[in-house]
Amino acid sequence: VVAVPDDIAMLTLLGVTLAWFGNRSAERVAMIVPQRDGPGENDMVGLFSDVRHLSICTEGLSVAGVALNVHHIVKERLWAVPDLRTQFDHTMLNFEWTDFQEKQGFAQQVNISERGESSFHPLRVAVDQPDRDVWRMRVAFQEGRFDARQRELFFDLFEKSLSMLRDSPLDLVW
């Protein structure tokens, strides 16, 4: 029904999940985004990224509608600089990209490791891609803020949003 890139679909799923989890129709998240927008920055060498806030609206939208809205937000770079006083108040989303294309004999090697996760944010979700057909989420809940029942609820809601995207993407989120 909706033709959006995989990362937009994953961001949509997380946005819907977080909206349900927080019982809010719009979910503001912090996200690490590329920063090569300025004049001449494409000629610069280095990793340019920063944290930006974006709002994922779910009110009155189907999952497909949320996906199209998220795609527009990302394409047009409609995010905001976080306020220093509130920079750790929102869920942090980080997509850790893997480049599977070999370039001049070099290819990125993926090492899957199980390591402890922690966060200054209430919730931190890192999404990585161990191989072309697999996405993996590493989720860290701020210590003492969420109990076991709430942590389990987050994953149940993620499964629900995934099922909704797959089976009934035109149904309203709320």
Side-chain angles (χ1 to χ4, degrees), residues 72-92:
H72 174 73
I73 290 169
V74 171
K75 182 179 177 187
E76 299 299 323
R77 306 173 84 71
L78 301 175
W79 39 63
V81 176
D83 187 318
L84 288 176
R85 296 167 297 169
T86 61
Q87 64 181 338
F88 296 112
D89 291 354
H90 305 289
T91 297
M92 166 60 83

Side-chain angles (χ1 to χ4, degrees), residues 7-8 10-18 27-34 50-56 70 74 87 90-97 119 121-128 137-140 154 158:
D7 57 336
I8 298 298
M10 181 62 87
L11 183 54
T12 299
L13 294 172
L14 288 168
V16 169
T17 300
L18 291 166
E27 187 65 29
R28 191 150 179 98
V29 297
M31 196 168 153
I32 298 174
V33 300
D50 204 353
V51 175
R52 294 291 184 256
H53 284 172
L54 63 113
S55 292
I56 301 172
V70 166
V74 171
Q87 64 181 338
H90 305 289
T91 297
M92 166 60 83
L93 303 179
N94 185 15
F95 284 78
E96 299 174 3
W97 303 109
S119 179
H121 298 268
L123 184 63
R124 186 174 59 78
V125 181
V127 180
D128 61 12
M137 280 191 327
R138 298 186 327 271
V139 181
F154 174 83
F158 182 80

